[in-house]
Amino acid sequence: MAVMAGCLGLFGLVLWADSEVGWAIGTAASYVFLEIAYWAWERRRLVEARVVVGETGDRARLRLRHAGGRTTEHDPHQVVRVLVIHDNVSDSAKLRLRLRRKRPFFGRPGRPSVLTAWRKTCPGAHVNDRKAYWGMPGVPD
């Protein structure tokens, strides 16, 4: 991102001497803004959400692997809401997860998770599933 913004900025400086290059600088600034917005959105995306039992037989923990490569562990009692959205066309599902005092996390499409495991591990959470609101174009629902 920084390299691309630097190249666009250098391009704008080269053109500055000969003509008006406000559009080039505006393009570089908008590109940087869009990359920062995408990075902030991607931080909340999950690649994997797994319930793991501690090595010493402790309580189960919720391990979340984020799209950026970061892995975090949370107490299952912090989970407020779990929503699994089943795709109407393929055998996949998306996960929507909300922890107490945190922004919601969005899972990438993958295999549908078992709701009974979520209900057992996170007793205080509102666990639900639903079908997606959209269907395949041209096919009546």
Short mmCIF file of all heavy atoms in Angstrom, two decimals, residues 32-97:
data_model
loop_
_atom_site.label_atom_id
_atom_site.label_comp_id
_atom_site.label_asym_id
_atom_site.label_seq_id
_atom_site.Cartn_x
_atom_site.Cartn_y
_atom_site.Cartn_z
N VAL A 32 -5.06 5.75 -0.92
CA VAL A 32 -4.61 5.49 0.45
C VAL A 32 -5.81 5.38 1.39
O VAL A 32 -5.86 4.49 2.24
CB VAL A 32 -3.64 6.60 0.92
CG1 VAL A 32 -3.37 6.50 2.40
CG2 VAL A 32 -2.34 6.51 0.14
N PHE A 33 -6.80 6.25 1.22
CA PHE A 33 -8.00 6.20 2.06
C PHE A 33 -8.74 4.87 1.87
O PHE A 33 -9.18 4.26 2.85
CB PHE A 33 -8.91 7.38 1.74
CG PHE A 33 -10.21 7.35 2.48
CD1 PHE A 33 -10.26 7.61 3.83
CD2 PHE A 33 -11.39 7.02 1.82
CE1 PHE A 33 -11.46 7.57 4.53
CE2 PHE A 33 -12.58 6.98 2.50
CZ PHE A 33 -12.62 7.25 3.85
N LEU A 34 -8.89 4.43 0.63
CA LEU A 34 -9.59 3.17 0.37
C LEU A 34 -8.82 1.97 0.93
O LEU A 34 -9.43 1.02 1.44
CB LEU A 34 -9.83 3.00 -1.12
CG LEU A 34 -10.88 3.93 -1.71
CD1 LEU A 34 -10.93 3.77 -3.23
CD2 LEU A 34 -12.23 3.65 -1.10
N GLU A 35 -7.49 1.99 0.85
CA GLU A 35 -6.70 0.89 1.42
C GLU A 35 -6.83 0.83 2.93
O GLU A 35 -6.92 -0.24 3.52
CB GLU A 35 -5.23 1.04 1.04
CG GLU A 35 -4.92 0.58 -0.37
CD GLU A 35 -4.98 -0.93 -0.52
OE1 GLU A 35 -4.81 -1.65 0.48
OE2 GLU A 35 -5.21 -1.38 -1.64
N ILE A 36 -6.86 1.98 3.59
CA ILE A 36 -7.02 2.01 5.04
C ILE A 36 -8.41 1.51 5.43
O ILE A 36 -8.56 0.75 6.40
CB ILE A 36 -6.76 3.43 5.58
CG1 ILE A 36 -5.27 3.77 5.45
CG2 ILE A 36 -7.22 3.58 7.03
CD1 ILE A 36 -4.94 5.21 5.74
N ALA A 37 -9.43 1.90 4.69
CA ALA A 37 -10.79 1.42 4.97
C ALA A 37 -10.89 -0.09 4.77
O ALA A 37 -11.51 -0.79 5.58
CB ALA A 37 -11.79 2.15 4.07
N TYR A 38 -10.28 -0.61 3.72
CA TYR A 38 -10.30 -2.06 3.49
C TYR A 38 -9.55 -2.79 4.59
O TYR A 38 -9.98 -3.84 5.05
CB TYR A 38 -9.69 -2.38 2.12
CG TYR A 38 -9.65 -3.86 1.84
CD1 TYR A 38 -10.81 -4.54 1.51
CD2 TYR A 38 -8.46 -4.58 1.92
CE1 TYR A 38 -10.80 -5.89 1.27
CE2 TYR A 38 -8.43 -5.92 1.67
CZ TYR A 38 -9.60 -6.58 1.35
OH TYR A 38 -9.57 -7.93 1.12
N TRP A 39 -8.42 -2.25 5.03
CA TRP A 39 -7.66 -2.87 6.10
C TRP A 39 -8.47 -2.92 7.39
O TRP A 39 -8.48 -3.92 8.10
CB TRP A 39 -6.35 -2.11 6.32
CG TRP A 39 -5.57 -2.59 7.48
CD1 TRP A 39 -4.77 -3.70 7.53
CD2 TRP A 39 -5.51 -2.02 8.79
NE1 TRP A 39 -4.22 -3.83 8.78
CE2 TRP A 39 -4.66 -2.80 9.56
CE3 TRP A 39 -6.10 -0.89 9.35
CZ2 TRP A 39 -4.38 -2.51 10.88
CZ3 TRP A 39 -5.82 -0.60 10.67
CH2 TRP A 39 -4.98 -1.40 11.42
N ALA A 40 -9.18 -1.84 7.71
CA ALA A 40 -10.01 -1.81 8.92
C ALA A 40 -11.16 -2.80 8.82
O ALA A 40 -11.51 -3.46 9.80
CB ALA A 40 -10.55 -0.40 9.14
N TRP A 41 -11.73 -2.96 7.64
CA TRP A 41 -12.82 -3.92 7.46
C TRP A 41 -12.29 -5.35 7.52
O TRP A 41 -12.91 -6.21 8.12
CB TRP A 41 -13.50 -3.66 6.12
CG TRP A 41 -14.58 -4.63 5.79
CD1 TRP A 41 -15.82 -4.71 6.37
CD2 TRP A 41 -14.53 -5.65 4.82
NE1 TRP A 41 -16.53 -5.72 5.81
CE2 TRP A 41 -15.77 -6.31 4.85
CE3 TRP A 41 -13.56 -6.08 3.92
CZ2 TRP A 41 -16.06 -7.38 4.02
CZ3 TRP A 41 -13.86 -7.13 3.09
CH2 TRP A 41 -15.09 -7.77 3.14
N GLU A 42 -11.15 -5.59 6.94
CA GLU A 42 -10.58 -6.93 6.89
C GLU A 42 -10.11 -7.41 8.27
O GLU A 42 -10.06 -8.60 8.53
CB GLU A 42 -9.40 -6.95 5.90
CG GLU A 42 -8.81 -8.29 5.63
CD GLU A 42 -9.68 -9.23 4.81
OE1 GLU A 42 -10.69 -8.81 4.23
OE2 GLU A 42 -9.33 -10.41 4.76
N ARG A 43 -9.79 -6.49 9.17
CA ARG A 43 -9.35 -6.87 10.52
C ARG A 43 -10.44 -7.62 11.26
O ARG A 43 -10.16 -8.43 12.13
CB ARG A 43 -9.00 -5.63 11.34
CG ARG A 43 -7.66 -5.08 11.04
CD ARG A 43 -7.30 -4.02 12.03
NE ARG A 43 -7.00 -4.64 13.32
CZ ARG A 43 -7.04 -4.02 14.46
NH1 ARG A 43 -7.36 -2.76 14.51
NH2 ARG A 43 -6.75 -4.64 15.58
N ARG A 44 -11.71 -7.34 10.94
CA ARG A 44 -12.82 -7.99 11.64
C ARG A 44 -13.24 -9.30 11.00
O ARG A 44 -14.11 -9.99 11.52
CB ARG A 44 -14.01 -7.04 11.68
CG ARG A 44 -13.72 -5.82 12.49
CD ARG A 44 -14.90 -4.93 12.67
NE ARG A 44 -16.04 -5.23 11.83
CZ ARG A 44 -16.93 -4.36 11.48
NH1 ARG A 44 -16.83 -3.14 11.88
NH2 ARG A 44 -17.94 -4.70 10.71
N ARG A 45 -12.63 -9.67 9.90
CA ARG A 45 -13.02 -10.91 9.24
C ARG A 45 -12.30 -12.08 9.88
O ARG A 45 -11.13 -12.02 10.22
CB ARG A 45 -12.69 -10.83 7.76
CG ARG A 45 -13.56 -9.77 7.12
CD ARG A 45 -13.68 -9.89 5.69
NE ARG A 45 -14.22 -11.18 5.32
CZ ARG A 45 -14.40 -11.54 4.07
NH1 ARG A 45 -14.11 -10.72 3.12
NH2 ARG A 45 -14.87 -12.72 3.77
N LEU A 46 -13.01 -13.17 10.01
CA LEU A 46 -12.47 -14.38 10.61
C LEU A 46 -12.24 -15.43 9.54
O LEU A 46 -13.04 -15.61 8.63
CB LEU A 46 -13.45 -14.95 11.64
CG LEU A 46 -13.76 -14.08 12.84
CD1 LEU A 46 -14.84 -14.75 13.68
CD2 LEU A 46 -12.52 -13.86 13.66
N VAL A 47 -11.15 -16.14 9.68
CA VAL A 47 -10.88 -17.28 8.82
C VAL A 47 -11.41 -18.54 9.49
O VAL A 47 -11.96 -19.42 8.85
CB VAL A 47 -9.37 -17.41 8.53
CG1 VAL A 47 -9.06 -18.65 7.74
CG2 VAL A 47 -8.87 -16.17 7.81
N GLU A 48 -11.26 -18.58 10.82
CA GLU A 48 -11.65 -19.77 11.55
C GLU A 48 -12.08 -19.38 12.97
O GLU A 48 -11.45 -18.55 13.61
CB GLU A 48 -10.46 -20.73 11.61
CG GLU A 48 -10.73 -22.02 12.32
CD GLU A 48 -9.50 -22.89 12.35
OE1 GLU A 48 -8.37 -22.38 12.32
OE2 GLU A 48 -9.69 -24.10 12.41
N ALA A 49 -13.15 -19.98 13.43
CA ALA A 49 -13.60 -19.84 14.81
C ALA A 49 -13.74 -21.25 15.36
O ALA A 49 -14.51 -22.06 14.86
CB ALA A 49 -14.94 -19.10 14.87
N ARG A 50 -12.98 -21.54 16.40
CA ARG A 50 -12.93 -22.90 16.92
C ARG A 50 -13.05 -22.88 18.44
O ARG A 50 -12.49 -22.02 19.11
CB ARG A 50 -11.60 -23.53 16.52
CG ARG A 50 -11.42 -24.93 17.03
CD ARG A 50 -10.09 -25.47 16.61
NE ARG A 50 -10.12 -25.63 15.16
CZ ARG A 50 -9.16 -26.18 14.47
NH1 ARG A 50 -8.07 -26.58 15.07
NH2 ARG A 50 -9.25 -26.29 13.17
N VAL A 51 -13.78 -23.84 18.96
CA VAL A 51 -13.88 -24.02 20.40
C VAL A 51 -12.84 -25.06 20.78
O VAL A 51 -12.85 -26.18 20.30
CB VAL A 51 -15.30 -24.50 20.78
CG1 VAL A 51 -15.37 -24.78 22.27
CG2 VAL A 51 -16.33 -23.47 20.36
N VAL A 52 -11.90 -24.65 21.66
CA VAL A 52 -10.83 -25.56 22.08
C VAL A 52 -10.88 -25.75 23.59
O VAL A 52 -11.20 -24.85 24.33
CB VAL A 52 -9.43 -25.03 21.66
CG1 VAL A 52 -9.29 -25.02 20.17
CG2 VAL A 52 -9.18 -23.66 22.22
N VAL A 53 -10.57 -26.96 24.01
CA VAL A 53 -10.51 -27.27 25.43
C VAL A 53 -9.07 -27.09 25.86
O VAL A 53 -8.14 -27.43 25.13
CB VAL A 53 -10.98 -28.72 25.67
CG1 VAL A 53 -10.88 -29.07 27.14
CG2 VAL A 53 -12.40 -28.90 25.17
N GLY A 54 -8.86 -26.53 27.05
CA GLY A 54 -7.52 -26.27 27.55
C GLY A 54 -6.71 -27.55 27.69
O GLY A 54 -7.24 -28.65 27.83
N GLU A 55 -5.39 -27.41 27.66
CA GLU A 55 -4.50 -28.55 27.74
C GLU A 55 -4.58 -29.26 29.10
O GLU A 55 -4.36 -30.45 29.21
CB GLU A 55 -3.04 -28.12 27.48
CG GLU A 55 -2.75 -27.73 26.05
CD GLU A 55 -3.23 -26.33 25.72
OE1 GLU A 55 -3.41 -25.51 26.64
OE2 GLU A 55 -3.46 -26.08 24.53
N THR A 56 -4.90 -28.52 30.15
CA THR A 56 -4.96 -29.11 31.49
C THR A 56 -6.39 -29.48 31.88
O THR A 56 -6.65 -29.74 33.05
CB THR A 56 -4.39 -28.11 32.52
OG1 THR A 56 -5.18 -26.92 32.48
CG2 THR A 56 -2.94 -27.80 32.22
N GLY A 57 -7.29 -29.49 30.92
CA GLY A 57 -8.67 -29.83 31.20
C GLY A 57 -9.48 -28.66 31.73
O GLY A 57 -10.53 -28.85 32.34
N ASP A 58 -8.99 -27.46 31.55
CA ASP A 58 -9.72 -26.27 31.99
C ASP A 58 -10.96 -26.07 31.14
O ASP A 58 -11.29 -26.88 30.27
CB ASP A 58 -8.83 -25.03 31.88
CG ASP A 58 -7.66 -25.07 32.86
OD1 ASP A 58 -7.79 -25.79 33.86
OD2 ASP A 58 -6.65 -24.40 32.60
N ARG A 59 -11.62 -24.94 31.39
CA ARG A 59 -12.80 -24.62 30.59
C ARG A 59 -12.44 -24.43 29.12
O ARG A 59 -11.31 -24.12 28.78
CB ARG A 59 -13.43 -23.32 31.09
CG ARG A 59 -14.13 -23.47 32.39
CD ARG A 59 -14.96 -22.27 32.72
NE ARG A 59 -14.23 -21.03 32.46
CZ ARG A 59 -14.69 -19.85 32.77
NH1 ARG A 59 -15.84 -19.73 33.36
NH2 ARG A 59 -13.99 -18.76 32.51
N ALA A 60 -13.42 -24.58 28.29
CA ALA A 60 -13.21 -24.40 26.86
C ALA A 60 -12.95 -22.93 26.57
O ALA A 60 -13.44 -22.04 27.26
CB ALA A 60 -14.43 -24.89 26.08
N ARG A 61 -12.16 -22.67 25.55
CA ARG A 61 -11.86 -21.31 25.10
C ARG A 61 -12.29 -21.17 23.65
O ARG A 61 -12.38 -22.15 22.91
CB ARG A 61 -10.36 -21.03 25.19
CG ARG A 61 -9.76 -21.19 26.56
CD ARG A 61 -10.06 -20.07 27.50
NE ARG A 61 -9.45 -18.84 27.02
CZ ARG A 61 -9.73 -17.66 27.54
NH1 ARG A 61 -10.59 -17.55 28.51
NH2 ARG A 61 -9.16 -16.57 27.07
N LEU A 62 -12.54 -19.97 23.24
CA LEU A 62 -12.90 -19.68 21.86
C LEU A 62 -11.67 -19.12 21.17
O LEU A 62 -11.16 -18.07 21.56
CB LEU A 62 -14.05 -18.68 21.83
CG LEU A 62 -14.60 -18.30 20.47
CD1 LEU A 62 -15.21 -19.52 19.80
CD2 LEU A 62 -15.63 -17.21 20.61
N ARG A 63 -11.17 -19.81 20.16
CA ARG A 63 -9.99 -19.37 19.43
C ARG A 63 -10.44 -18.84 18.07
O ARG A 63 -11.04 -19.54 17.27
CB ARG A 63 -9.02 -20.53 19.25
CG ARG A 63 -7.73 -20.11 18.59
CD ARG A 63 -6.73 -21.23 18.55
NE ARG A 63 -6.30 -21.51 19.92
CZ ARG A 63 -5.73 -22.65 20.28
NH1 ARG A 63 -5.55 -23.60 19.43
NH2 ARG A 63 -5.38 -22.83 21.54
N LEU A 64 -10.10 -17.57 17.83
CA LEU A 64 -10.47 -16.90 16.58
C LEU A 64 -9.22 -16.61 15.79
O LEU A 64 -8.29 -15.98 16.29
CB LEU A 64 -11.21 -15.60 16.87
CG LEU A 64 -12.45 -15.68 17.73
CD1 LEU A 64 -13.01 -14.29 17.99
CD2 LEU A 64 -13.49 -16.56 17.10
N ARG A 65 -9.19 -17.07 14.55
CA ARG A 65 -8.08 -16.77 13.66
C ARG A 65 -8.58 -15.75 12.65
O ARG A 65 -9.52 -15.99 11.90
CB ARG A 65 -7.58 -18.03 12.95
CG ARG A 65 -6.25 -17.84 12.27
CD ARG A 65 -5.67 -19.16 11.88
NE ARG A 65 -6.60 -19.88 11.03
CZ ARG A 65 -6.28 -20.38 9.84
NH1 ARG A 65 -5.07 -20.26 9.39
NH2 ARG A 65 -7.17 -21.01 9.13
N HIS A 66 -7.93 -14.59 12.63
CA HIS A 66 -8.36 -13.47 11.80
C HIS A 66 -7.71 -13.54 10.42
O HIS A 66 -6.72 -14.24 10.21
CB HIS A 66 -8.00 -12.15 12.47
CG HIS A 66 -8.67 -11.99 13.81
ND1 HIS A 66 -9.87 -11.37 13.96
CD2 HIS A 66 -8.31 -12.41 15.05
CE1 HIS A 66 -10.22 -11.39 15.23
NE2 HIS A 66 -9.28 -12.02 15.92
N ALA A 67 -8.28 -12.78 9.48
CA ALA A 67 -7.78 -12.77 8.11
C ALA A 67 -6.37 -12.23 8.01
O ALA A 67 -5.61 -12.61 7.14
CB ALA A 67 -8.71 -11.98 7.21
N GLY A 68 -5.98 -11.35 8.92
CA GLY A 68 -4.64 -10.78 8.90
C GLY A 68 -3.58 -11.70 9.48
O GLY A 68 -2.41 -11.34 9.52
N GLY A 69 -3.97 -12.87 9.98
CA GLY A 69 -3.01 -13.82 10.53
C GLY A 69 -2.96 -13.82 12.05
O GLY A 69 -2.31 -14.66 12.66
N ARG A 70 -3.64 -12.91 12.69
CA ARG A 70 -3.65 -12.82 14.15
C ARG A 70 -4.59 -13.86 14.73
O ARG A 70 -5.65 -14.14 14.19
CB ARG A 70 -4.11 -11.41 14.53
CG ARG A 70 -4.04 -11.09 15.97
CD ARG A 70 -4.55 -9.70 16.18
NE ARG A 70 -5.91 -9.65 15.65
CZ ARG A 70 -6.75 -8.68 15.89
NH1 ARG A 70 -6.39 -7.66 16.60
NH2 ARG A 70 -7.97 -8.70 15.39
N THR A 71 -4.21 -14.46 15.84
CA THR A 71 -5.04 -15.43 16.54
C THR A 71 -5.30 -14.92 17.95
O THR A 71 -4.38 -14.55 18.66
CB THR A 71 -4.35 -16.80 16.60
OG1 THR A 71 -4.07 -17.24 15.27
CG2 THR A 71 -5.23 -17.83 17.28
N THR A 72 -6.57 -14.90 18.33
CA THR A 72 -6.94 -14.45 19.67
C THR A 72 -7.77 -15.52 20.36
O THR A 72 -8.45 -16.31 19.70
CB THR A 72 -7.74 -13.14 19.62
OG1 THR A 72 -8.91 -13.35 18.82
CG2 THR A 72 -6.93 -12.01 19.04
N GLU A 73 -7.69 -15.56 21.68
CA GLU A 73 -8.50 -16.48 22.47
C GLU A 73 -9.41 -15.66 23.39
O GLU A 73 -8.98 -14.67 23.97
CB GLU A 73 -7.62 -17.42 23.27
CG GLU A 73 -6.95 -18.46 22.43
CD GLU A 73 -6.38 -19.60 23.25
OE1 GLU A 73 -6.62 -19.64 24.48
OE2 GLU A 73 -5.72 -20.44 22.66
N HIS A 74 -10.64 -16.13 23.52
CA HIS A 74 -11.62 -15.43 24.33
C HIS A 74 -12.37 -16.43 25.20
O HIS A 74 -12.48 -17.61 24.87
CB HIS A 74 -12.63 -14.70 23.44
CG HIS A 74 -12.01 -13.71 22.51
ND1 HIS A 74 -11.69 -12.44 22.89
CD2 HIS A 74 -11.63 -13.82 21.22
CE1 HIS A 74 -11.16 -11.79 21.89
NE2 HIS A 74 -11.11 -12.62 20.85
N ASP A 75 -12.91 -15.93 26.28
CA ASP A 75 -13.75 -16.74 27.15
C ASP A 75 -15.11 -16.92 26.46
O ASP A 75 -15.68 -15.95 25.96
CB ASP A 75 -13.92 -16.01 28.49
CG ASP A 75 -14.66 -16.84 29.50
OD1 ASP A 75 -14.69 -18.08 29.36
OD2 ASP A 75 -15.21 -16.25 30.45
N PRO A 76 -15.66 -18.14 26.43
CA PRO A 76 -16.96 -18.34 25.76
C PRO A 76 -18.10 -17.57 26.41
O PRO A 76 -19.11 -17.31 25.77
CB PRO A 76 -17.20 -19.84 25.88
CG PRO A 76 -15.88 -20.44 26.14
CD PRO A 76 -15.07 -19.40 26.84
N HIS A 77 -17.94 -17.16 27.66
CA HIS A 77 -18.99 -16.39 28.32
C HIS A 77 -19.03 -14.95 27.82
O HIS A 77 -19.97 -14.23 28.13
CB HIS A 77 -18.80 -16.42 29.83
CG HIS A 77 -18.96 -17.80 30.39
ND1 HIS A 77 -20.18 -18.43 30.46
CD2 HIS A 77 -18.05 -18.69 30.86
CE1 HIS A 77 -20.04 -19.64 30.96
NE2 HIS A 77 -18.74 -19.82 31.23
N GLN A 78 -18.04 -14.52 27.04
CA GLN A 78 -18.06 -13.18 26.44
C GLN A 78 -18.89 -13.15 25.16
O GLN A 78 -19.21 -12.08 24.66
CB GLN A 78 -16.64 -12.74 26.10
CG GLN A 78 -15.79 -12.40 27.28
CD GLN A 78 -14.42 -11.93 26.83
OE1 GLN A 78 -14.02 -12.12 25.68
NE2 GLN A 78 -13.69 -11.31 27.73
N VAL A 79 -19.25 -14.30 24.62
CA VAL A 79 -20.01 -14.36 23.37
C VAL A 79 -21.45 -13.96 23.65
O VAL A 79 -22.12 -14.52 24.52
CB VAL A 79 -19.95 -15.77 22.75
CG1 VAL A 79 -20.79 -15.84 21.49
CG2 VAL A 79 -18.52 -16.17 22.47
N VAL A 80 -21.93 -12.98 22.92
CA VAL A 80 -23.29 -12.47 23.09
C VAL A 80 -24.21 -13.07 22.03
O VAL A 80 -25.34 -13.46 22.32
CB VAL A 80 -23.31 -10.93 22.99
CG1 VAL A 80 -24.72 -10.40 23.06
CG2 VAL A 80 -22.45 -10.33 24.08
N ARG A 81 -23.72 -13.17 20.78
CA ARG A 81 -24.57 -13.65 19.70
C ARG A 81 -23.77 -14.45 18.69
O ARG A 81 -22.66 -14.06 18.32
CB ARG A 81 -25.21 -12.46 18.98
CG ARG A 81 -26.18 -12.87 17.91
CD ARG A 81 -26.90 -11.69 17.36
NE ARG A 81 -27.90 -12.17 16.42
CZ ARG A 81 -28.28 -11.51 15.38
NH1 ARG A 81 -27.80 -10.32 15.12
NH2 ARG A 81 -29.18 -12.00 14.57
N VAL A 82 -24.35 -15.55 18.24
CA VAL A 82 -23.79 -16.38 17.18
C VAL A 82 -24.89 -16.56 16.13
O VAL A 82 -25.99 -17.00 16.45
CB VAL A 82 -23.35 -17.77 17.70
CG1 VAL A 82 -22.85 -18.63 16.55
CG2 VAL A 82 -22.29 -17.63 18.76
N LEU A 83 -24.59 -16.18 14.90
CA LEU A 83 -25.55 -16.33 13.81
C LEU A 83 -24.84 -17.03 12.66
O LEU A 83 -23.80 -16.58 12.20
CB LEU A 83 -26.08 -14.97 13.36
CG LEU A 83 -27.03 -14.96 12.16
CD1 LEU A 83 -28.31 -15.72 12.50
CD2 LEU A 83 -27.33 -13.56 11.73
N VAL A 84 -25.41 -18.13 12.21
CA VAL A 84 -24.88 -18.87 11.07
C VAL A 84 -25.86 -18.67 9.92
O VAL A 84 -27.04 -18.99 10.03
CB VAL A 84 -24.73 -20.37 11.40
CG1 VAL A 84 -24.23 -21.13 10.19
CG2 VAL A 84 -23.79 -20.56 12.58
N ILE A 85 -25.36 -18.12 8.80
CA ILE A 85 -26.19 -17.83 7.63
C ILE A 85 -25.86 -18.86 6.56
O ILE A 85 -24.76 -18.88 6.01
CB ILE A 85 -25.93 -16.41 7.11
CG1 ILE A 85 -26.20 -15.39 8.21
CG2 ILE A 85 -26.81 -16.13 5.89
CD1 ILE A 85 -25.78 -14.00 7.86
N HIS A 86 -26.83 -19.74 6.28
CA HIS A 86 -26.64 -20.80 5.28
C HIS A 86 -26.89 -20.25 3.89
O HIS A 86 -27.88 -19.55 3.65
CB HIS A 86 -27.61 -21.96 5.55
CG HIS A 86 -27.37 -22.61 6.87
ND1 HIS A 86 -26.39 -23.54 7.06
CD2 HIS A 86 -27.98 -22.45 8.07
CE1 HIS A 86 -26.41 -23.94 8.32
NE2 HIS A 86 -27.37 -23.29 8.96
N ASP A 87 -26.02 -20.60 2.96
CA ASP A 87 -26.15 -20.17 1.57
C ASP A 87 -27.26 -20.98 0.91
O ASP A 87 -27.39 -22.18 1.13
CB ASP A 87 -24.83 -20.37 0.83
CG ASP A 87 -24.80 -19.68 -0.51
OD1 ASP A 87 -25.83 -19.11 -0.92
OD2 ASP A 87 -23.74 -19.69 -1.15
N ASN A 88 -28.06 -20.33 0.08
CA ASN A 88 -29.17 -21.01 -0.59
C ASN A 88 -28.71 -21.89 -1.74
O ASN A 88 -29.42 -22.80 -2.14
CB ASN A 88 -30.16 -19.98 -1.14
CG ASN A 88 -30.87 -19.25 -0.04
OD1 ASN A 88 -30.97 -19.73 1.08
ND2 ASN A 88 -31.37 -18.07 -0.35
N VAL A 89 -27.54 -21.62 -2.30
CA VAL A 89 -27.11 -22.30 -3.50
C VAL A 89 -26.11 -23.41 -3.19
O VAL A 89 -26.25 -24.54 -3.61
CB VAL A 89 -26.50 -21.29 -4.50
CG1 VAL A 89 -26.03 -21.98 -5.75
CG2 VAL A 89 -27.52 -20.22 -4.84
N SER A 90 -25.07 -23.09 -2.46
CA SER A 90 -24.03 -24.08 -2.16
C SER A 90 -24.13 -24.54 -0.71
O SER A 90 -24.88 -23.99 0.09
CB SER A 90 -22.64 -23.47 -2.40
OG SER A 90 -22.42 -22.41 -1.49
N ASP A 91 -23.38 -25.56 -0.38
CA ASP A 91 -23.38 -26.10 0.99
C ASP A 91 -22.32 -25.38 1.81
O ASP A 91 -21.35 -25.97 2.26
CB ASP A 91 -23.12 -27.61 0.95
CG ASP A 91 -23.28 -28.22 2.33
OD1 ASP A 91 -24.06 -27.69 3.12
OD2 ASP A 91 -22.60 -29.22 2.62
N SER A 92 -22.51 -24.09 1.98
CA SER A 92 -21.58 -23.30 2.79
C SER A 92 -22.38 -22.37 3.69
O SER A 92 -23.59 -22.23 3.54
CB SER A 92 -20.62 -22.50 1.89
OG SER A 92 -21.33 -21.52 1.18
N ALA A 93 -21.68 -21.76 4.62
CA ALA A 93 -22.33 -20.86 5.55
C ALA A 93 -21.36 -19.77 5.98
O ALA A 93 -20.14 -19.95 5.90
CB ALA A 93 -22.84 -21.62 6.77
N LYS A 94 -21.90 -18.66 6.43
CA LYS A 94 -21.10 -17.56 6.97
C LYS A 94 -21.43 -17.42 8.45
O LYS A 94 -22.55 -17.66 8.87
CB LYS A 94 -21.42 -16.24 6.27
CG LYS A 94 -21.02 -16.21 4.83
CD LYS A 94 -21.38 -14.87 4.23
CE LYS A 94 -21.04 -14.82 2.75
NZ LYS A 94 -21.40 -13.54 2.16
N LEU A 95 -20.43 -17.03 9.22
CA LEU A 95 -20.60 -16.88 10.66
C LEU A 95 -20.58 -15.41 11.03
O LEU A 95 -19.73 -14.65 10.57
CB LEU A 95 -19.46 -17.60 11.38
CG LEU A 95 -19.41 -17.47 12.89
CD1 LEU A 95 -20.58 -18.23 13.52
CD2 LEU A 95 -18.10 -17.99 13.43
N ARG A 96 -21.53 -15.00 11.85
CA ARG A 96 -21.55 -13.67 12.43
C ARG A 96 -21.42 -13.87 13.94
O ARG A 96 -22.25 -14.53 14.56
CB ARG A 96 -22.86 -12.93 12.15
CG ARG A 96 -23.16 -12.76 10.69
CD ARG A 96 -22.22 -11.74 10.07
NE ARG A 96 -22.59 -11.44 8.72
CZ ARG A 96 -21.97 -11.94 7.65
NH1 ARG A 96 -21.01 -12.79 7.80
NH2 ARG A 96 -22.34 -11.60 6.44
N LEU A 97 -20.40 -13.30 14.52
CA LEU A 97 -20.08 -13.51 15.92
C LEU A 97 -19.93 -12.17 16.61
O LEU A 97 -19.23 -11.30 16.12
CB LEU A 97 -18.78 -14.31 16.03
CG LEU A 97 -18.31 -14.71 17.41
CD1 LEU A 97 -19.25 -15.74 18.00
CD2 LEU A 97 -16.91 -15.31 17.32
#
